[in-house]
Amino acid sequence: MIIDILTLFPKFYESPISMGIINMAINEKKINLNIEDMRLYGEGNYKKCDDYPYGGGPGMIMTYNIFKKYFESHKKGYTIIFSPSGKTLTQKKIRELSSKEHITMILGHYEGIDYRVEEKYADEAVSIGDYVLSGGEIPALLLLDAVSRYKGVMNNDESVISDTFEENSSGLLEYEQYTRPPEIDGMKVPDILLSGNHKNIDEYRRKRSIIKTFENRADLFSKINLSKKDVEAIFYYLKENNNLKY
């Protein structure tokens, strides 16, 4: 898989790609990563890459011409531009992108990019959430990491397909996890996890996932078929926390 990242700040990636899953995917030649310094396509002695926006407004806008110069001399993959106005990046979309042979990521900075770049070159505009960053470097790193997990470099591939938000997962947030020792600083691992009764452990983990999802991401319930036991778990949670009154 080829991934091109078009950025004004290529040094941003020096450390992240030198370790972990991304580094493994690169070293095992599962991903051929090209980080392109768009400053090289700037204009004039100072390699200018931005200009004032028409109509006024704060900040500077990255120009169309630097991307035109790049695409005139490089093969274009499935091209993504990161933008707060794009469709929200989901696990389903990441899985879809991981099957592409070639992806090109256009990264904005300053106040954005001349919209004609998106019109001409982008196949899709993507947002990683309802907040604003200073540039597309972090979103691109996030996508690079997420895609790398599908490239067969995980120690246990089963962990990929069973993770939260995957199709094979329950759709719930993951339950709490513990390891040795069973007690530390006055905090104990729940007794049921030490019981060896896997049926009870599975039921307990399902209950904890239900409660954690209810607390933090209740919106996910719209996509999950809740059983009677699931609903009862929420009912008793509310009752125990004095949030349920008769």
Side-chain angles (χ1 to χ4, degrees):
M1 180 182 193
I2 300 171
I3 296 181
D4 303 321
I5 296 178
L6 314 186
T7 175
L8 292 175
F9 301 96
K11 290 186 177 180
F12 175 90
Y13 294 97
E14 289 180 357
S15 175
I17 68 172
S18 69
M19 63 188 82
I21 295 298
I22 298 173
N23 183 256
M24 292 170 64
I26 294 171
N27 287 341
E28 294 181 19
K29 303 188 185 306
K30 303 294 180 65
I31 289 179
N32 180 359
L33 179 64
N34 304 306
I35 300 176
E36 192 74 29
D37 184 357
M38 294 307 292
R39 185 73 61 181
L40 300 176
Y41 301 89
E43 299 175 326
N45 294 333
Y46 296 101
K47 297 296 182 182
K48 185 176 176 61
C49 295
D50 59 348
D51 210 335
Y52 295 101
Y54 280 124
M60 305 288 278
I61 305 295
M62 291 179 69
T63 63
Y64 178 89
N65 281 337
I66 62 173
F67 295 99
K68 179 180 179 180
K69 289 178 184 178
Y70 172 83
F71 284 112
E72 283 178 344
S73 57
H74 292 79
K75 186 176 179 181
K76 176 182 176 294
Y78 185 83
T79 302
I80 294 167
I81 191 166
F82 292 99
S83 168
S85 61
K87 293 181 180 178
T88 302
L89 184 65
T90 63
Q91 195 66 41
K92 181 179 179 181
K93 173 56 65 174
I94 290 168
R95 189 167 55 251
E96 176 188 317
L97 292 174
S98 71
S99 66
K100 302 285 187 186
E101 293 184 2
H102 186 182
I103 293 176
T104 301
M105 303 187 204
I106 296 177
L107 278 54
H109 213 80
Y110 311 121
E111 286 297 313
I113 303 175
D114 188 314
Y115 180 67
R116 289 169 292 188
V117 174
E118 181 175 336
E119 283 189 297
K120 176 72 173 179
Y121 299 113
D123 294 297
E124 188 169 7
V126 170
S127 167
I128 64 166
D130 296 337
Y131 41 83
V132 179
L133 301 174
S134 60
E137 283 70 29
I138 291 174
L141 179 61
L142 181 154
L143 180 55
L144 175 61
D145 182 277
V147 166
S148 295
R149 298 178 70 256
Y150 287 96
K151 294 304 170 183
V153 294
M154 302 284 286
N155 290 330
N156 185 349
D157 287 339
E158 186 179 340
S159 67
V160 176
I161 63 174
S162 63
D163 275 343
T164 303
F165 305 124
E166 288 288 355
E167 286 184 342
N168 293 316
S169 73
S170 65
L172 300 167
L173 300 184
E174 193 172 34
Y175 46 80
E176 301 89 347
Q177 299 270 30
Y178 303 88
T179 188
R180 293 175 179 83
E183 183 173 354
I184 187 169
D185 288 341
M187 296 178 288
K188 294 180 63 177
V189 175
D191 290 338
I192 194 168
L193 298 180
L194 307 176
S195 69
N197 187 320
H198 294 292
K199 181 177 182 295
N200 289 346
I201 289 172
D202 287 344
E203 289 179 355
Y204 170 81
R205 285 176 167 172
R206 172 76 181 190
K207 179 180 177 181
R208 289 308 309 160
S209 287
I210 288 288
I211 298 306
K212 181 168 280 191
T213 304
F214 179 76
E215 289 177 327
N216 299 321
R217 288 293 306 277
D219 59 293
L220 294 176
F221 285 141
S222 64
K223 303 176 183 178
I224 301 168
N225 292 322
L226 297 177
S227 69
K228 181 180 178 181
K229 280 189 175 181
D230 294 336
V231 176
E232 287 176 349
I234 297 171
F235 178 86
Y236 286 115
Y237 166 77
L238 291 171
K239 186 176 180 180
E240 289 170 3
N241 288 273
N242 298 317
N243 290 323
L244 187 63
K245 297 180 179 180
Y246 295 96

